[in-house]
Amino acid sequence: MTAELVRGQNHTLPQTRLEIRVSAGTPVVAGATLGDERGTVHGIEWIAHPGSPQLPGLEVSKQAAADHRLAVDLDAVPAAVHRVTVLLALPMEVGGPVRFGAVAAPFVAVTGLEGTEIATFTLTGLDAESAVAALELYRRQGDWKVRAVGQGYAGGLAAMLADQGVTGAAELARSIHEAVARGMARSVAPPPPRTQEGDRVRHTAAIGEPAPPAGPAPTRPPAATSPTADSTAGGPTAGPSAGPGTGPISYAHPRRQATAPPPPPPTAPPAEPGRPAQPVAGDATGWSMEERLYNQVWGMFEDLARTTAAYRSAVDFAESRMDQELDRALSDPRNRIGGAGDRARQEARARRDQLTDRAREALDRDLAQLAAESAVVEPALPAAFAAWDNPVWHAYRVPMEIPMALRIGDLHLPENSDLHIPLLVRLPLERGIWVDSGRTASEAAALTDTDRLRRLAMDNAVAHAARLLAVYPAGEFSVHVIDAAGSAAAALAPLVNSGVLAGPPAAGAGGVASVLARLTRRVDLVQMAIRAGAADSLPPDLDTAEQLLIVNDFPHGFDDRAVTQLRYLADEGPSVGVHLLMVADREDASAYGPVLDPLWRSLLRITPVADDHLADPWVGHAWTYEPLGMPAGSRVLEQVLAQVAAARRTGRRP
């Protein structure tokens, strides 16, 4: 029976291998400290946080998230540790809420590895606090117990760490927040629910119009695969891979407000006993096949993240247990001579191999199910979700409405590099995109010379711009280009020759200033119209379509004023339909120092070659991103742009 704790109440823990699950209404930082009998933390090496997520017997999330799963093995913590305190804090450098009183009360649950709740605690009554000690696990007469704490700190993470005796608490708190900001910049976060009709049309269309009432947001059931970690595999896991139960991805269709969406249709025959169900495309909730496929892709993404986390955690546990067994065996001097020590090593390694083999079997089973699901989902994707080699592009027609999302690449993990998950970003874009043309640490970048990386980066940006133009209705998306040095003429040829650009690519300092001034003016005017509720006050020459600005070779051609305007567009533009697509090497802008750090963090960084820099929002794995390649010899890009240009000239929609 679950113990529902209140502040100060404790409960005996029936086991030592646990998960601590955190659910909050906004991204929070989750960490933990190890303390002695008095609760004193003896140094930074006794603190697990996103910048240093692992300690003996303890693993926390690598980034801020609305949901966390902390893995705990109390048998593996050092003997000097008598208290494990779970900490929550609001990120301070990402523009989110700054006090817990402004968000939903966090909920914390202590569970067994199979997910059964042992004790729960809802942290109510918080107000100005931005950090809180949620609960603690502590030793008492040889047993471990959990106590609900709920002690908040208006002074934030620094005050909380200082209260536990940490030297240099302010500096450590600052480094943790910086690590969180970097992690959130590289994270592919699930987009927030959309419940209003204006959310999927261009921003200016809804200026001054009343919003329809919002209905309940549907939740996505587990996809055709529901991989779970084999509890016999050992090790504190990052959670069962059927993750939607704890972190649902819920989106309401914008044109339905009254009821929940229907479940997926029963298009597949029931599975035979003992065999997994056959996957089908669209096996998720949604009002349309597009929405079902969108939710299904995100479900596959989460399932793969969680099942891989379970496998990695099980392997880590097996290694840790082997080390502990060897330490205990070899601590006896009698086992250090003769064959006893060799037998102890062999037995420990055999148990380690048995655990890892079971974990791999569970992972392979889950991967096979996900691969089967991917094989049926990929051919069914609409153009906006499909790769360039999908036959759906050969039947392309200019759409009548904006799709839910756009595919900008693929993601995969090293456990199965052939299983690719489409990377879908919600439309309209909620943050700009940065195509990094610099040399990264990836093997693919190391094998590519600098000039070719720059060419590939610009080709990649042009392909993304073409996809955006193709998935918007005619006349509802405009593209501007800044190419100050004129170095991207060859890459820009498909856009220029088809006539889909809003104007010729801007060159030189004068061209940079002109384009930035025009788009900055648009942001200012639309913001004023929104605040005043006066859509009719917009000038007749203002282009109300979504705007995309491609910037090549930044900061070439940019003075200080232009840099300030670009930062303004990155911060304020997305909310009023102005988006950035930057092609830049960060090293080229190093002279600006930390002034540009907020700009880089505000953009979703992708690369022109494979690179493992993106993180998922559930576990924080480093995923390898691969750009969408154009089939060799294909003219699909030119054919699609020709249709877009023809529709723009005639002003018609098929």
Side-chain angles (χ1 to χ4, degrees):
M1 183 176 179
T2 303
E4 298 181 1
L5 305 181
V6 296
R7 276 184 177 84
Q9 189 176 2
N10 61 54
H11 182 72
T12 301
L13 294 171
Q15 59 199 82
T16 56
R17 290 174 55 200
L18 309 163
E19 278 188 352
I20 298 175
R21 304 185 180 186
V22 178
S23 180
T26 189
V28 297
V29 182
T33 60
L34 305 181
D36 59 16
E37 297 95 328
R38 299 180 180 179
T40 302
V41 179
H42 287 273
I44 60 174
E45 66 276 7
W46 281 32
I47 304 172
H49 57 83
S52 179
Q54 289 184 317
L55 293 177
L58 181 64
E59 183 175 358
V60 304
S61 303
K62 298 178 182 178
Q63 61 195 45
D67 297 283
H68 292 271
R69 294 189 178 189
L70 284 63
V72 180
D73 181 4
L74 295 172
D75 288 336
V77 300
V81 172
H82 287 255
R83 191 176 302 179
V84 179
T85 304
V86 177
L87 315 176
L88 304 179
L90 293 170
M92 289 291 103
E93 299 183 11
V94 296
V98 296
R99 61 187 187 90
F100 276 109
V103 301
F107 173 80
V108 184
V110 180
T111 76
L113 297 185
E114 73 287 351
T116 303
E117 289 184 346
I118 299 170
T120 64
F121 176 40
T122 302
L123 285 78
T124 57
L126 299 175
D127 187 11
E129 299 88 346
S130 60
V132 59
L135 54 79
E136 63 183 15
L137 313 177
Y138 64 98
R139 296 184 200 257
R140 180 61 57 86
Q141 297 178 348
D143 294 327
W144 283 93
K145 295 186 176 184
V146 57
R147 177 186 292 119
V149 180
Q151 175 63 54
Y153 295 83
L157 190 57
M160 181 164 54
L161 294 174
D163 192 41
Q164 297 189 29
V166 178
T167 303
E171 292 77 7
L172 177 59
R174 188 179 306 111
S175 69
I176 292 173
H177 284 305
E178 289 173 354
V180 169
R182 290 193 300 269
M184 294 186 74
R186 62 188 283 268
S187 173
V188 182
R194 305 298 185 91
T195 58
Q196 295 183 357
E197 187 170 354
D199 282 336
R200 278 182 54 198
V201 299
R202 61 182 186 232
H203 294 281
T204 53
I207 296 174
E209 298 177 6
T219 59
R220 173 194 180 273
T225 67
S226 296
T228 57
D230 187 345
S231 60
T232 62
T237 70
S241 50
T246 57
I249 303 172
S250 307
Y251 306 116
H253 192 283
R255 282 173 290 282
R256 306 274 185 159
Q257 292 88 30
T259 60
T267 56
E272 298 178 13
R275 299 186 62 182
Q278 294 298 312
V280 294
D283 188 20
T285 58
W287 287 105
S288 65
M289 178 57 77
E290 178 198 38
E291 190 171 9
R292 289 174 184 151
L293 288 168
Y294 174 81
N295 286 337
Q296 187 172 13
V297 168
W298 271 100
M300 293 165 58
F301 187 11
E302 183 175 6
D303 286 347
L304 182 55
R306 293 199 184 279
T307 196
T308 303
Y311 167 72
R312 293 180 181 179
S313 185
V315 171
D316 289 343
F317 170 78
E319 294 286 347
S320 174
R321 195 172 86 165
M322 181 187 70
D323 292 340
Q324 293 176 43
E325 290 176 350
L326 289 175
D327 288 342
R328 286 195 297 267
L330 298 180
S331 63
D332 186 346
R334 293 171 297 180
N335 291 336
R336 297 176 190 168
I337 57 176
D342 292 338
R343 286 194 299 273
R345 292 186 185 91
Q346 291 174 359
E347 292 171 359
R349 288 169 182 158
R351 283 189 288 270
R352 186 271 315 272
D353 293 342
Q354 183 181 33
L355 290 176
T356 55
D357 288 346
R358 289 179 182 174
R360 186 71 213 193
E361 288 174 6
L363 175 68
D364 289 342
R365 183 172 61 248
D366 294 344
L367 291 179
Q369 287 185 280
L370 284 169
E373 186 174 13
S374 177
V376 299
V377 167
E378 190 72 41
L381 296 176
F385 299 0
W388 285 114
D389 59 358
N390 192 309
V392 72
W393 283 105
H394 295 291
Y396 168 77
R397 294 293 182 270
V398 177
M400 296 287 289
E401 62 179 18
I402 305 169
M404 294 186 67
L406 182 76
R407 185 173 183 167
I408 63 169
D410 289 340
L411 298 172
H412 65 82
L413 291 171
E415 280 76 9
N416 188 339
S417 58
D418 294 330
L419 178 54
H420 286 212
I421 302 295
L423 174 55
L424 303 180
V425 294
R426 190 74 181 233
L427 293 180
L429 293 173
E430 295 168 328
R431 63 191 293 198
I433 298 174
W434 165 29
V435 184
D436 190 350
S437 60
R439 186 171 299 282
T440 64
S442 72
E443 180 180 355
L447 297 174
T448 309
D449 64 72
T450 301
D451 290 339
R452 177 163 173 74
L453 278 175
R454 293 180 183 272
R455 290 195 302 272
L456 289 174
M458 196 60 199
D459 288 342
N460 197 257
V462 168
H464 291 313
R467 290 176 74 89
L468 283 163
L469 284 163
V471 302
Y472 270 77
E476 293 196 11
F477 199 85
S478 297
V479 177
H480 310 261
V481 177
I482 290 178
D483 184 23
S487 60
L492 290 168
L495 298 177
V496 174
N497 296 339
S498 61
V500 295
L501 293 179
V512 171
S514 175
V515 171
L516 292 176
R518 188 162 62 251
L519 292 177
T520 300
R521 171 179 175 267
R522 183 193 183 281
V523 171
D524 290 339
L525 290 175
V526 174
Q527 283 185 335
M528 287 189 290
I530 290 175
R531 286 194 292 266
D536 295 340
S537 65
L538 290 172
D541 64 336
L542 187 78
D543 183 3
T544 57
E546 297 276 322
Q547 310 288 312
L548 177 72
L549 173 59
I550 303 175
V551 179
N552 181 46
D553 247 358
F554 175 81
H556 186 85
F558 281 71
D559 56 18
D560 290 345
R561 175 179 172 80
V563 169
T564 301
Q565 289 177 312
L566 190 70
R567 287 186 55 186
Y568 176 72
L569 292 178
D571 293 339
E572 303 295 334
S575 64
V576 291
V578 177
H579 314 284
L580 288 184
L581 178 51
M582 299 268 293
V583 180
D585 179 356
R586 189 167 183 173
E587 290 299 317
D588 292 343
S590 58
Y592 287 95
V595 172
L596 289 181
D597 285 352
L599 172 64
W600 304 121
R601 285 199 296 263
S602 71
L603 305 173
L604 175 62
R605 175 176 171 257
I606 59 177
T607 51
V609 294
D611 188 86
D612 58 351
H613 66 283
L614 289 177
D616 66 82
W618 305 283
V619 182
H621 294 312
W623 292 71
T624 297
Y625 166 84
E626 289 196 9
L628 297 174
M630 195 69 63
S634 173
R635 295 191 56 81
V636 65
L637 183 65
E638 290 78 4
Q639 293 167 1
V640 167
L641 289 176
Q643 289 200 45
V644 172
R648 289 163 65 96
R649 286 193 299 270
T650 60
R652 64 175 175 83
R653 298 180 186 177

